[in-house]
Amino acid sequence: MSYTIALAGNPNCGKTTLFNELTGSRQRVGNWPGVTVDKKEGICKKDKELHITDLPGTYSLSPYSAEEIIARDYLVKEKPDAVIDIVDGTSIERNLYLTLQILETGVPTVIALNMMDEVEARGDEIKAEKLSRILDVPVVPITARSGKGIGELLAQAAETARGKKTPQKLLVFDEKLQRVIDEVEKELESSGESDSAWKAVKLLENDENIAAGISEELKNRIRKIIGKAYGSNEDPEAIIADQRYRYIAKVVKDTVKKSAAGHIETKSDKLDKILTNRILALPVFACIMYLLFACTNSENFLFLGIPSPGIWLAGLVESVWGGLTGVIEGLLGNASPWVYSLVIDGIMAGLGSILGFIPLVLVLYLLISFLEDCGYMARIAFVLDRIFRRFGLSGRSFIPLLQGFGCSVPAVMATRTLESEKDRKITAILAGFMPCGAKLPIFALFVSTLFADSNQTLVTYSVYIFSIVTAILVSLLLNKFVYKDGASNFIMELPQYRVPTLKSVFIHGWEKVKGFAVKAGTVIFVSTVLIWFLSGFNLDSFNGKNAAENEDGSIMCEMNDSFMASVGNVIAPVFKPLGFGEWRPAVGVVTGWIAKENVVVTFAQLYEEDVTEEYLEEYFSRFTSEELEELGFEGGAYDSEAAGDIYSESVLFEGGDENALPHMKDDIKTKAAAYAYMVFNLLCMPCFAAVGAMKRELKTWKETGKAVGIQMATAYAAALLVNVVGGLFL
Amino acid sequence: MALAMMEIGETREIKSFHGKEEVKRRLQDLGFVKGEYVQVIGENPSGLILLVKGVRIALNRGLASQIIVA
Ligand SMILES: Nc1nc2c(ncn2[C@@H]2O[C@H](COP(=O)(O)OP(=O)(O)OP(=O)(O)O)[C@@H](O)[C@H]2O)c(=O)[nH]1
Ligand SMILES: [Mg+2]
């Protein structure tokens, strides 16, 4: 026999923290309201019969945004065997408002009084037993973050679920209101409606969702009942809210002992004086964002002359991978040429080309996690609201967009918390413009190969700025021409600032690395093998022609005659105006839709050809003779014999150049074209996983198609502009 | 007067709300009910940071001007 237990409560009260503690899962926790946007199921570690469901947070059972609907529907439609209602002990009055509504539904309930560590630190006291007696449900004080009190909570929840202990009706409302509710309830009951007691209250509260579920005729009868009791200048909805809060105030007065009357200034208030200050807020934000990228991706970290932590780690990973490739190369000494080609040129080169970027993405991701965990997200959303409003969005859109710097999939999902449909649609499109972790390797590859003689860090930053400027412009255009709709409001609770726990930082990092390993082992691995096959074979591989022609009897073909070249040549002309109308870059764009990492994987495989004598001569021709001498040419004269060795050593000095694929220059000839290519991949359709997420948020394929169309059009227009205008200057 | 006109540190009682029905309900869910006291604890170009029932809530200015206090 198994029992389902749902975790419900206000946003940010610690539901997911408790869920992780109970089930041993690693769901995302963050210190801002609206982290969880979908229900998640798990099995309790200590009692396998208990199936726990984590829900999005909600302030009431009359939902306001999409993720709150999920929470409400689960509670009232799927009817769990018990609900653990998590109440943030530091704001108990507001939290109990939802509790009363949960109790009204009659579902077996246990209250978990969370954040007891903070309650105690403030010197407040909550009499749990007394609260339990008043509300007639078990009340267990816990600290979800440390696990304190969870054993007792679990015992109570299990007992409540097994015993199906429905809570008693509380006397929340005054006589008159209760009488009207009872009448409506009877009316509903006689019409065969289920959950009539709870629905009666919701109908008085004007809940459209419930009203939509009953017949017009019944609605009229109910309207009459309400109309008889309350005049047109009275608002039953407000009366209900008022009476609930009054009831709660009484309960709180009896059960909570505050250390001080009124509001005492906390550390959070002091921090807010700076971080949301009318003058300082934006400069501080700019510094934080700069630091974020400096730590991730900078050769000259904070102008100290050392590489940033991200770059440093990346170097480490690359040298390990290089060593590993060497070892495998040795082992494959006698293997047949195609096996060697598959393993070394295909898999090792393909995966190796992106492996080095994991540390970059990891560092960026950990820093974003830090911002999410400390409580700054809600603040910056607020501070940016005024600016975002000018572009036709609300400050809340900042949260999905920042997440887009990590990965588009959670970013698109996070748009669910936006209250207005217009904001949701626009933000889902803009999220695809963000330079997600998987696009990072594209920029790095291009910068190190085609912008080798420019200020590389500056070029990389300029791509970030390009993405933000594009997002702003597109948002303005969409507001003006496509999604015309009124402005939305900004209402957001600002949580306490909290010091992120090591555990949660570790979880975030680990999840990211694990996610990448899984992706590399599945989607990207299969892609590398496919790319290797499609770029090394053609029809003649299988009718013996290649084998007869090739000296070594290999059935592989020249890359330019491969399957991939044939297909690439068909689509390439589309990109001609953008400056990269050759088959290799065209194929890169397409494989990028499977996973953005694939762009670099594809390039690594398609451009990994031997460095020829001609190439070396051209490469060294840009140095003066003094420089040539410094590089190791005797007497400063170019020497084709020594060039090969010197090249492979010297490129290492240029920082990052060892990733360069010199032959890219054959297809992408100008800097304008190179920049256009980066811009196109930055803005065009995100990977299929993200498109899937867009479909989930936008509901229909039609809307999704429209959104992707807008992304594609933006990418094409921007890349064209870059190639044409850039061509005049670069 | 409108809540948006309040100054930092001021505490006043909520009288009414003039705006969309669903926004009114959301404000109620967050503790903005008639007769409740709100304190302004912060302010910047985006709007106000308020203290309601011991919780910090940020509102944009447009919304804050729809809430009437006394
Ligand atoms: N001090 C303290 N902090 C806690 C406790 N439980 C959770 N937190 C913190 O509260 C914040 C919110 O936790 P979550 O578990 O993400 O909250 P949630 O209820 O799932 O939030 P939503 O998914 O947004 O509704 C995080 O920063 C947690 O670290 C606790 O017992 N004590
Ligand atoms: Mg959560």
Side-chain angles (χ1 to χ4, degrees):
Chain A
M1 185 70 193
S2 72
Y3 299 89
T4 52
I5 296 181
L7 304 184
N10 280 181
N12 210 46
C13 67
K15 297 176 293 300
T16 307
T17 309
L18 178 63
F19 178 79
N20 287 347
E21 196 68 38
L22 289 174
T23 62
S25 8
R26 299 199 191 89
Q27 291 301 321
R28 184 157 200 93
V29 165
N31 194 12
W32 42 280
V35 179
T36 308
V37 295
D38 212 349
K39 56 177 191 234
K40 274 277 160 1
E41 278 165 38
I43 290 174
C44 180
K45 272 188 304 190
K46 295 227 181 73
D47 185 342
K48 301 267 187 295
E49 277 188 12
L50 304 181
H51 292 225
I52 317 273
T53 310
D54 185 24
L55 294 173
T58 180
Y59 288 112
S60 82
L61 290 185
S62 298
Y64 187 62
S65 50
E67 88 282 8
E68 293 193 346
I69 296 176
I70 295 174
R72 201 273 295 270
D73 284 356
Y74 189 87
L75 289 177
V76 303
K77 293 200 180 133
E78 306 210 6
K79 300 234 165 77
D81 294 308
V83 168
I84 296 181
D85 170 31
I86 297 154
V87 167
D88 177 347
T90 62
S91 53
I92 186 164
E93 237 185 296
R94 219 277 315 288
N95 276 250
L96 285 177
Y97 189 72
L98 175 69
T99 304
L100 289 188
Q101 296 184 50
I102 292 177
L103 293 176
E104 273 164 22
T105 67
V107 63
T109 304
V110 177
I111 293 177
L113 267 182
N114 194 24
M115 314 261 181
M116 287 310 286
D117 54 337
E118 286 182 7
V119 173
E120 278 156 25
R122 286 184 185 186
D124 296 351
E125 198 194 322
I126 303 176
K127 294 176 191 140
E129 268 168 47
K130 193 157 185 194
L131 189 60
S132 163
R133 248 179 290 133
I134 296 175
L135 299 178
D136 190 41
V137 290
V139 177
V140 186
I142 63 166
T143 300
R145 204 145 104 154
S146 67
K148 200 172 155 201
I150 284 184
E152 165 72 7
L153 175 66
L154 201 59
Q156 293 284 358
E159 201 186 311
T160 306
R162 291 196 173 101
K164 288 231 179 294
K165 283 193 203 153
T166 39
Q168 223 166 41
K169 241 193 199 153
L170 302 171
L171 294 175
V172 177
F173 304 121
D174 69 13
E175 237 174 277
K176 179 179 172 190
L177 181 55
Q178 192 60 52
R179 210 178 50 233
V180 179
I181 294 172
D182 289 343
E183 263 178 69
V184 174
E185 182 185 341
K186 258 191 228 114
E187 201 65 51
L188 285 168
E189 222 167 34
S190 65
S191 307
E193 288 285 333
S194 57
D195 300 317
S196 49
W198 173 73
K199 279 184 185 158
V201 181
K202 280 290 147 199
L203 284 171
L204 266 116
E205 281 187 283
N206 248 330
D207 189 306
E208 287 129 34
N209 198 301
I210 303 296
I214 61 175
S215 73
E216 208 45 51
E217 196 255 313
L218 181 56
K219 241 184 285 183
N220 275 336
R221 265 184 285 156
I222 290 171
R223 239 177 250 140
K224 248 186 236 143
I225 298 175
I226 300 174
K228 217 165 51 193
Y230 293 102
S232 58
N233 57 346
E234 282 175 305
D235 177 4
E237 189 189 344
I239 295 172
I240 289 178
D242 182 57
Q243 294 194 3
R244 278 197 192 120
Y245 276 122
R246 269 175 212 275
Y247 179 83
I248 292 167
K250 262 193 296 180
V251 173
V252 168
K253 198 162 153 256
D254 284 351
T255 53
V256 181
K257 237 170 65 205
K258 292 229 176 225
S259 64
H263 180 63
I264 30 169
E265 193 173 74
T266 60
K267 275 202 202 93
S268 290
D269 292 323
K270 286 189 188 120
L271 268 169
D272 268 345
K273 290 227 161 92
I274 302 165
L275 296 177
T276 64
N277 183 282
R278 55 167 39 243
I279 297 154
L280 291 177
L282 286 173
V284 169
F285 168 67
C287 290
I288 290 176
M289 291 317 274
Y290 174 75
L291 258 177
L292 196 73
F293 297 114
C295 286
T296 312
N297 201 351
S298 165
E299 295 292 343
N300 187 358
F301 180 51
L302 299 182
F303 308 102
L304 296 172
I306 51 167
S308 67
I311 296 276
W312 180 79
L313 274 171
L316 207 68
V317 169
E318 268 162 23
S319 47
V320 170
W321 190 254
L324 191 66
T325 308
V327 170
I328 294 178
E329 249 175 298
L331 291 175
L332 288 175
N334 300 325
S336 71
W338 75 266
V339 172
Y340 182 90
S341 156
L342 169 64
V343 175
I344 301 298
D345 303 338
I347 297 168
M348 294 305 276
L351 291 184
S353 64
I354 47 162
L355 204 70
F357 295 100
I358 305 176
L360 290 194
V361 178
L362 181 66
V363 169
L364 179 70
Y365 199 78
L366 287 180
L367 293 171
I368 294 179
S369 300
F370 181 86
L371 291 185
E372 291 182 352
D373 286 358
C374 75
Y376 186 55
M377 291 294 259
R379 268 79 184 183
I380 197 60
F382 176 50
V383 167
L384 291 178
D385 184 62
R386 198 172 102 102
I387 299 174
F388 272 50
R389 213 159 271 281
R390 293 215 187 121
F391 310 139
L393 292 172
S394 115
R396 260 200 109 121
S397 293
F398 171 76
I399 294 173
L401 293 181
L402 183 69
Q403 288 184 324
F405 279 77
C407 176
S408 309
V409 176
V412 170
M413 279 178 71
T415 60
R416 197 175 292 176
T417 60
L418 304 176
E419 55 180 79
S420 100
E421 188 172 330
K422 180 203 74 173
D423 284 10
R424 270 203 301 279
K425 284 180 179 166
I426 296 180
T427 310
I429 293 173
L430 304 189
F433 294 158
M434 296 299 114
C436 76
K439 293 176 188 166
L440 221 66
I442 310 179
F443 311 140
L445 171 68
F446 270 68
V447 166
S448 69
T449 305
L450 301 167
F451 292 89
D453 53 350
S454 315
N455 182 337
Q456 302 194 359
T457 310
L458 206 65
V459 176
T460 313
Y461 283 167
S462 78
V463 175
Y464 284 100
I465 293 172
F466 199 101
S467 99
I468 292 164
V469 172
T470 311
I472 291 171
L473 291 177
V474 170
S475 171
L476 281 173
L477 287 175
L478 290 179
N479 266 292
K480 197 153 181 68
F481 299 112
V482 186
Y483 302 113
K484 289 171 257 183
D485 204 0
S488 50
N489 291 306
F490 186 94
I491 315 176
M492 196 168 185
E493 179 176 349
L494 306 182
Q496 319 267 359
Y497 287 99
R498 297 195 168 97
V499 182
T501 57
L502 261 178
K503 188 174 150 197
S504 100
V505 171
F506 174 78
I507 286 178
H508 283 145
W510 170 245
E511 285 298 301
K512 191 74 190 165
V513 171
K514 199 176 87 183
F516 182 83
V518 169
K519 200 171 168 192
T522 53
V523 178
I524 301 176
F525 179 82
V526 171
S527 300
T528 54
V529 175
L530 258 176
I531 296 166
W532 169 81
F533 173 75
L534 292 174
S535 67
F537 295 81
N538 59 12
L539 283 177
D540 291 342
S541 301
F542 307 103
N543 58 19
K545 268 196 201 155
N546 284 346
E549 274 171 29
N550 287 339
E551 281 165 29
D552 56 1
S554 158
I555 61 168
M556 292 176 73
C557 66
E558 284 290 320
M559 216 176 256
N560 275 323
D561 303 325
S562 65
F563 290 126
M564 199 170 245
S566 320
V567 177
N569 277 321
V570 175
I571 35 178
V574 177
F575 299 117
K576 190 118 207 155
L578 312 185
F580 46 88
E582 303 292 333
W583 72 267
R584 286 180 172 91
V587 164
V589 169
V590 175
T591 56
W593 293 331
I594 299 169
K596 289 284 167 176
E597 289 93 342
N598 271 349
V599 177
V600 171
V601 171
T602 307
F603 273 51
Q605 293 188 52
L606 299 187
Y607 289 110
E608 173 112 303
E609 283 174 38
D610 292 335
V611 176
T612 59
E613 278 190 19
E614 294 88 61
Y615 173 74
L616 285 175
E617 214 175 316
E618 196 213 311
Y619 177 82
F620 284 110
S621 67
R622 57 175 136 137
F623 297 103
T624 64
S625 71
E626 281 111 66
E627 282 170 339
L628 285 180
E629 180 154 20
E630 227 168 85
L631 286 171
F633 288 102
E634 256 168 64
Y638 180 71
D639 168 10
S640 58
E641 302 254 309
D645 285 343
I646 292 173
Y647 175 78
S648 52
E649 277 171 26
S650 76
V651 285
L652 299 180
F653 292 117
E654 286 193 6
D657 226 14
E658 69 265 38
N659 295 318
L661 298 167
H663 288 283
M664 274 166 64
K665 287 194 190 118
D666 305 341
D667 284 347
I668 302 172
K669 297 195 179 70
T670 65
K671 281 190 180 163
Y675 205 89
Y677 194 78
M678 290 197 283
V679 163
F680 190 84
N681 278 291
L682 172 72
L683 304 175
C684 76
M685 176 166 87
C687 64
F688 290 137
V691 174
M694 284 165 75
K695 161 73 176 36
R696 260 173 284 151
E697 298 314 314
L698 301 175
K699 303 287 187 295
T700 62
W701 279 116
K702 190 174 153 234
E703 278 295 328
T704 313
K706 189 167 151 195
V708 170
I710 291 169
Q711 289 170 332
M712 286 295 201
T714 308
Y716 201 88
L720 186 66
L721 195 74
V722 166
N723 188 40
V724 172
V725 176
L728 304 176
F729 298 104
L730 294 173
Chain B
M1 68 183 231
L3 198 156
M5 317 259 282
M6 282 169 66
E7 284 174 20
I8 292 192
E10 240 185 302
T11 304
R12 283 175 185 272
E13 190 188 332
I14 298 172
K15 281 291 163 207
S16 59
F17 174 74
H18 298 278
K20 274 193 274 175
E21 197 56 32
E22 76 241 37
V23 179
K24 179 176 159 199
R25 183 178 307 143
R26 166 64 2 147
L27 288 170
Q28 270 172 10
D29 295 344
L30 286 167
F32 290 83
V33 276
K34 194 176 153 199
E36 179 65 36
Y37 285 88
V38 281
Q39 184 184 357
V40 176
I41 54 172
E43 188 212 12
N44 69 33
S46 289
L48 307 173
I49 301 178
L50 307 166
L51 198 71
V52 185
K53 297 201 183 286
V55 184
R56 262 182 231 92
I57 289 169
L59 294 186
N60 63 313
R61 226 161 255 286
L63 188 55
S65 55
Q66 295 171 358
I67 300 172
I68 307 299
V69 294

